[in-house]
Structure formats: structure tokens, C-alpha cells
Amino acid sequence: MQTQTSRRCLVTGAGGYLGGCVKSALRKRAWQVTELTRLPEPGAAAIEFHLGADMPVTSLSGSLALVHCAYDFGQIRWDDIRRVNVVGTEKLLRAAREARVERLVYISSISAFRGCRSLYGKAKLECERVALELGATVIRPGLICGEPPGAMFGRLVRQVEKARLLPLFGGGAQLQYLVHEQDLTAFIG
């Protein structure tokens, strides 16, 4: 039987849509969640974390799991995207391994595939490679939906609600691979 402290899970990106969903779902399953975030609120169970920066191993010690949801969309040049997101992911996961965090989960994207053209997809694909090399479980979800709709799905819903006309590229036959946030978080936690 695991003790409460051994059920500590670190979550990056907990201030974002998916990371927030993961944090809530884990707490409902009696996990002690510690957010890795840029701006920890006073008194919160949080550790200051900047994707791309070195992560002190001691900050991660005593945790059973890490779910890495963070991605810095502020970077637009490939060198910066790679330095912050890819190298940052590697630094974080290596620090977690050194801290003996047992379970590592990296949240990727359906945009990550061999031959993808977007820099986001390429970065996620490189992060997947790093995560797999370090023994992490990689999850590559489709478009994440939920109530209320958030992130990319939320932006699409708001765009459709405001539009008078909707273009149907390819005759409207474009497949969308949706995953509900509750299904995804149940799989993670």
C-alpha cells in the first residue's frame, strides 16, 4: 500500500487547459499534486519551474510521478523552440530520473509525426524521442475537448460560433481525432 507522500505527482503546465485538467483529475484520485509553474502562488503546492532552465534534482525528490504537459508557445524561431521545449524537456526528465521519480509521462500531440512540417510538430516529435530514451510513457492525444471547451478546441468553437460562413476544406471530409479530457486524464491517472 502506498503512503500519501509516495503518491506525489509533479505536473508541468498545470496553469494551462490540459495541465489543469490533469491536476484536478489526479487530486480527485487522492494524489498529492505539486505544480511546476513559472509563478507559484504563495502557499500553493508548487515549485518554480521555467521550461528550458535547469531543474534542481532536490525539488523533484520524493515524487512517484511526473506528468509533463508544458510547452512554450512564445518561441517562434526553431533554435529557440528547440532550446526551450526540446532541451528543456530533456533537462526536466533527466532531473526526474536522477531524483528517482518512477513514472514519467510526456504529453505530446497528434501534430507530431514523421514528415510533419510544423515547428510545433517537429519539436513534439523530438521531445517524444527524448522521453522514450529516458523511459517515459508518451501519450499523443488528438484534439482535446471538454466542458467548457478550452485550448485549441475552445478557440475553434468560439470561431465557429462567431462565423457567418464556414469554409469546408476538402469538402468538409477532414477527419478530426477528438479525445475528451476526462478520458485522457483517466488514462493518465
Side-chain angles (χ1 to χ4, degrees):
M1 182 168 164
Q2 295 174 329
T3 64
Q4 187 69 355
T5 55
S6 70
R7 287 193 41 95
R8 177 179 176 215
C9 183
L10 305 158
V11 178
T12 69
Y17 177 69
L18 177 58
C21 292
V22 168
K23 174 179 68 175
S24 295
L26 288 171
R27 285 185 174 154
K28 285 178 185 171
R29 292 181 188 94
W31 282 85
Q32 177 189 0
V33 177
T34 301
E35 299 176 40
L36 298 181
T37 181
R38 286 179 284 206
L39 300 169
E41 293 185 19
I47 297 168
E48 188 172 347
F49 168 71
H50 298 274
L51 189 55
D54 290 331
M55 187 72 210
V57 172
T58 54
S59 298
L60 308 177
S61 296
S63 300
L64 177 63
L66 165 72
V67 181
H68 181 31
C69 302
Y71 185 90
D72 186 345
F73 287 98
Q75 309 305 318
I76 55 173
R77 291 180 39 248
W78 174 248
D79 290 344
D80 295 329
I81 291 169
R82 189 170 193 297
R83 176 181 48 79
V84 171
N85 291 294
V86 179
V87 174
T89 293
E90 183 171 9
K91 287 179 180 181
L92 172 66
L93 296 179
R94 285 195 186 283
R97 276 293 175 232
E98 193 173 329
R100 294 197 165 99
V101 176
E102 264 182 58
R103 302 178 195 165
L104 303 179
V105 177
Y106 175 69
I107 306 297
S108 186
S109 168
I110 198 168
S111 298
F113 57 90
R114 193 183 334 221
C116 65
R117 291 184 277 181
S118 77
L119 296 180
Y120 172 72
K122 289 177 182 184
K124 285 288 193 173
L125 194 59
E126 279 200 43
C127 288
E128 284 182 11
R129 180 190 50 76
V130 166
L132 290 169
E133 285 174 4
L134 293 169
T137 298
V138 172
I139 300 173
R140 192 187 283 179
L143 189 57
I144 301 165
C145 60
E147 280 299 322
M152 176 60 77
F153 188 75
R155 287 191 291 279
L156 291 172
V157 167
R158 288 187 296 280
Q159 185 176 15
V160 167
E161 289 173 341
K162 292 177 184 177
R164 291 183 55 197
L165 297 173
L166 295 174
L168 294 177
F169 300 104
Q174 176 64 41
L175 292 177
Q176 290 296 320
Y177 297 94
L178 302 177
V179 61
H180 195 277
E181 49 104 329
Q182 289 178 349
D183 293 328
L184 180 57
T185 59
F187 182 73
I188 293 168

